[in-house]
Amino acid sequence: MKIPLSSPDITEAEIDAVVAVLRTSRLSLGPVTERFEAAVAEFVSLPHAIAVSSGTAGLHLCVRALGIGEGDEVIVPSFTFIAAANAIRYERAVPVFADIDATTLNIDPRSMEAAITPRTRAIVVVHTFGIPADMPAILEIAERHRLLVIEDACEAIGAEHTGHKAGSMGHAGVFAFYPNKQITTGEGGMVVTRDEALARRIRAMRNQGRYETDDWFQHTELGYNYRISEINCALGLAQMMRLEEILQKRAAVATAYHQRLTRYQDLILPPLAFPGGRISWFVYVVRLGDGSPLQRDHVLRGLTAAGIGCGRYFAPIHLQPSYAAWRNAAHLPVTETVAARSLALPFFNNLETAAMDEVCATLGHFLLPGQAG
Ligand SMILES: Cc1ncc(COP(=O)(O)O)c(C=O)c1O
């Protein structure tokens, strides 16, 4: 691709930090992992952070350690990455899909409440594309129905709602550090919580079920190898030190896109600001307006042919082949309309002005003549 969809932002500071770990004899479960965990815990103002091998692993550990199991229903949006629902199925619990709000693209609290049954145990709230979900409404409903709340903040490190960081408002929160995320460890994730017992259990399950009091060949409960290496954490810690700079760079790219695209009446652009909170920009996703006769996939193919990286963010989970059993049960009109008309544009910290101009000009070429005003 001439202009990729995403690209990590690695400076000499990150390279030096990784090389420094390679010069030690400690490549896993060491001091750098602890420092990375402490930095994230402090950032979200919570006492516990547990670094893991991926966001998916973090979500799985939250579901399991919270005791969600066979037959329990867990409400989750379908307009998100498949890992949010898969983590529920790993424990033989049942994802129940709720619809989204057409502006924030986050779970609609009314649809969420309507999905509650006597078997509902929990909600997985996703802060989609780094826009904070309506946590006050969600937490109020969850409390009234005595439901657990897991925040999937994999796309949202640094997002805020009413002074609280995404990931810090539920029983547990999860971040992900795949290379397209705001900060990366290559592969990796982090669970955060204020619940000390939950944190201990997740820490043990990450490491084959070993508690601090166990020796290396003692396994108190069923666990996994969901550890992350010191090498990955060195990269993550160095990125974490630059998080504010990174968030500002990404917000500037979003603003620049907005300025270039706002004249196309065919397009619905993402909100540039979140009243009472902060967006942590993950991707820049535009949507063809409901009245537009344009086909999203036609635009997608055209941009791809011009060497511009773009993506269908998101293909709804309930329409995936691996969720065939859910396809007909779910009634998600907003999810299906939004998903059929959305398109992610190249978006990363160091996206240059000329590249952005080219993306917007190429996209503009597909928009209806006379729509530019
Ligand atoms: C909303 C959401 N949940 C979960 C994940 C899973 O994270 P990972 O790819 O690190 O397993 C991602 C990342 O792609 C995500 O966007």
Side-chain angles (χ1 to χ4, degrees):
M1 280 293 148
K2 198 165 52 170
I3 306 173
L5 181 58
S6 73
S7 176
D9 175 10
I10 305 297
T11 68
E12 289 303 314
E14 281 89 333
I15 293 167
D16 289 348
V18 167
V19 170
V21 165
L22 291 172
R23 295 191 195 286
T24 73
S25 56
R26 198 72 185 262
L27 299 185
S28 186
L29 294 175
V32 181
T33 303
E34 286 174 12
R35 294 220 306 275
F36 184 35
E37 291 175 340
V40 174
E42 189 188 344
F43 179 71
V44 296
S45 305
L46 287 181
H48 308 287
I50 306 108
V52 290
S53 53
S54 69
T56 308
L59 288 168
H60 180 204
L61 291 179
C62 289
V63 170
R64 187 169 173 86
L66 283 166
I68 296 164
E70 184 148 10
D72 289 338
E73 292 180 358
V74 181
I75 299 171
V76 61
S78 173
F79 186 77
T80 187
F81 187 61
I82 199 160
N86 283 353
I88 299 163
R89 284 177 71 191
Y90 295 157
E91 292 302 317
R92 297 185 176 276
V94 183
V96 175
F97 295 110
D99 215 347
I100 54 167
D101 174 88
T103 305
T104 65
L105 309 184
N106 282 317
I107 196 164
D108 176 347
R110 284 165 309 176
S111 174
M112 187 190 100
E113 187 160 21
I116 295 172
T117 76
R119 289 214 297 274
T120 309
R121 282 285 314 281
I123 301 156
V124 173
V125 182
V126 184
H127 301 287
T128 307
F129 303 153
I131 296 182
D134 185 356
M135 289 309 286
I138 291 164
L139 292 173
E140 188 275 318
I141 296 166
E143 203 166 310
R144 203 153 25 84
H145 293 270
R146 298 173 176 275
L147 304 177
L148 297 162
V149 176
I150 299 170
E151 279 181 84
D152 179 339
C154 287
E155 301 178 0
I157 192 162
E160 286 176 30
H161 196 305
T162 49
H164 302 282
K165 293 274 191 325
S168 73
M169 293 172 269
H171 292 91
V174 182
F175 299 113
F177 306 125
Y178 186 72
N180 66 347
K181 297 295 188 296
Q182 289 86 336
I183 65 168
T184 187
T185 53
E187 293 280 2
M190 186 82 73
V191 179
V192 292
T193 181
R194 64 170 50 79
D195 181 334
E196 186 173 350
L198 183 69
R200 268 191 78 227
R201 192 156 190 222
I202 289 175
R203 202 172 277 288
M205 284 179 170
R206 163 186 80 170
N207 188 18
Q208 306 285 15
R210 298 175 179 106
Y211 281 79
E212 301 103 81
T213 44
D214 293 339
D215 69 27
W216 193 252
F217 287 113
Q218 167 107 353
H219 308 274
T220 299
E221 67 174 309
L222 181 67
Y224 304 84
N225 178 359
Y226 282 166
R227 295 183 303 261
I228 179 171
S229 82
E230 289 277 283
I231 304 162
N232 298 91
C233 289
L235 174 53
L237 181 59
Q239 290 255 287
M240 193 64 203
M241 296 302 158
R242 295 178 48 225
L243 179 60
E244 183 53 38
E245 170 209 329
I246 288 171
L247 295 181
Q248 286 183 21
K249 274 183 169 176
R250 295 175 87 86
V253 175
T255 304
Y257 262 134
H258 189 93
Q259 285 161 352
R260 285 164 177 72
L261 296 174
T262 190
R263 67 202 190 96
Y264 295 112
Q265 293 160 22
D266 246 355
L267 289 182
I268 299 171
L269 303 180
L272 260 195
F274 183 85
R278 181 180 192 186
I279 297 171
S280 165
W281 287 91
F282 166 49
V283 282
Y284 193 81
V285 175
V286 300
R287 187 158 104 228
L288 297 172
D290 296 338
S292 167
L294 278 171
Q295 294 298 314
R296 187 272 315 272
D297 290 347
H298 172 70
V299 180
L300 205 68
R301 280 193 295 274
L303 289 176
T304 307
I308 293 170
C310 48
R312 292 191 293 149
Y313 273 66
F314 275 109
I317 301 175
H318 73 285
L319 300 182
Q320 301 289 334
S322 60
Y323 279 77
W326 278 260
R327 176 179 274 263
N328 294 326
H331 177 65
L332 306 168
V334 183
T335 295
E336 291 186 11
T337 309
V338 165
R341 306 184 75 74
S342 294
L343 159 78
L345 301 178
F347 188 78
F348 45 94
N349 299 355
N350 295 322
L351 184 61
E352 287 172 3
T353 304
M356 221 176 315
D357 286 341
E358 187 174 336
V359 172
C360 295
T362 312
L363 178 61
H365 172 77
F366 289 95
L367 300 173
L368 285 187
Q371 289 289 314

